[in-house]
Amino acid sequence: MPNRMSARELTELSQAFAYSGNTLLAPLSRTSDVGLDPAFWEAFPTFGDAAVERACDSCAHVCRVLADGADALQRADVEYAHLFVGPPKPVVPPWETAYRTDGGVGFGQAAVDVRRTLARLGLAVRNENNQYADHMGLELLCLSELCARTAAGDERTAALLEPFVREHPAGWAGEFARRVRDERPDGYYAGVTAVVEALLGVVLARSA
């Protein structure tokens, strides 16, 4: 895969996508609340990209606002449930199929494609929530693995990286982030999804 990213940048992208994927896959109380610390976002790698920098600044600001109130973790968890779980259903569906089939949710072609990519990496979806493979969190975790293996010099994996990004998370991350922003413009996940969208743009820009 032709790209202008060093092994170090690919490793940092792998770590950033791993954090983002886990953050979108489950509430912070079940993963890690390190992202509620403004210092986390102030130190987050921006890859010299203005969009990533703006998104990280937004996350840091939201974290400072949350820190001024009571129980920031609980409020973040409530926001997560409202956006991505329900009841009665997610306000913002976290599955790619919902954006490819005019709102449909289920085991669609996107989920099949992501599972196929995971299988090529020797991985499989195993999670307690039995999420479809086209959940944004799982797509980002798959991308994290692609970045890590590309950084390690795996040429076969490197050839998969750009097509996977373009055909899957980058194809719907913008609409996903917009819906989160429309629903909770000052919330924690508006910042997180903006970071994701910007990071995906970095990968595509440097893979041309």
Side-chain angles (χ1 to χ4, degrees):
M1 179 198 74
N3 68 71
R4 299 189 297 278
M5 292 181 286
S6 66
R8 176 179 177 180
E9 287 176 318
L10 284 163
T11 298
E12 290 180 335
L13 279 167
S14 174
Q15 294 167 349
F17 286 128
Y19 174 79
S20 302
N22 283 315
T23 297
L24 292 173
L25 196 56
L28 296 183
S29 60
R30 287 172 41 201
T31 55
S32 170
D33 63 355
V34 65
L36 290 175
D37 184 348
F40 175 83
W41 297 106
E42 290 164 359
F44 201 87
T46 61
F47 306 96
D49 184 84
V52 178
E53 184 175 350
R54 286 194 301 271
C56 289
D57 287 346
S58 176
C59 283
H61 171 73
V62 169
C63 290
R64 284 190 287 269
V65 171
L66 285 173
D68 288 338
D71 204 344
L73 179 59
Q74 181 180 9
R75 284 190 288 162
D77 279 1
V78 169
E79 180 188 343
Y80 179 92
H82 172 72
L83 291 171
F84 308 128
V85 180
K89 62 181 181 179
V91 175
V92 182
W95 306 281
E96 181 178 349
T97 296
Y99 300 80
R100 303 295 194 189
T101 59
D102 194 26
V105 175
F107 195 73
Q109 187 59 48
V112 174
D113 292 344
V114 175
R115 285 187 65 163
R116 186 177 294 124
T117 299
L118 289 167
R120 293 180 69 175
L121 296 172
L123 303 173
V125 177
R126 292 190 180 91
N127 61 85
E128 62 185 49
N129 293 327
N130 296 316
Q131 288 288 359
Y132 297 117
D134 62 341
H135 188 289
M136 178 60 83
L138 289 172
E139 290 193 3
L140 295 177
L141 291 178
C142 180
L143 178 53
S144 171
E145 185 66 16
L146 287 168
C147 288
R149 296 192 189 190
T150 300
D154 185 335
E155 294 183 2
R156 184 178 69 88
T157 299
L160 300 175
L161 179 53
E162 189 272 341
F164 179 81
V165 172
R166 189 175 299 281
E167 294 167 13
H168 291 291
W172 61 289
E175 176 65 11
F176 180 59
R178 184 192 67 76
R179 293 191 191 186
V180 171
R181 186 170 59 250
D182 287 350
E183 183 66 23
R184 290 289 178 87
D186 299 321
Y188 180 72
Y189 292 94
V192 171
T193 54
V195 169
V196 168
E197 182 182 10
L199 288 174
L200 293 170
V202 168
V203 175
L204 291 180
R206 301 188 186 184
S207 301

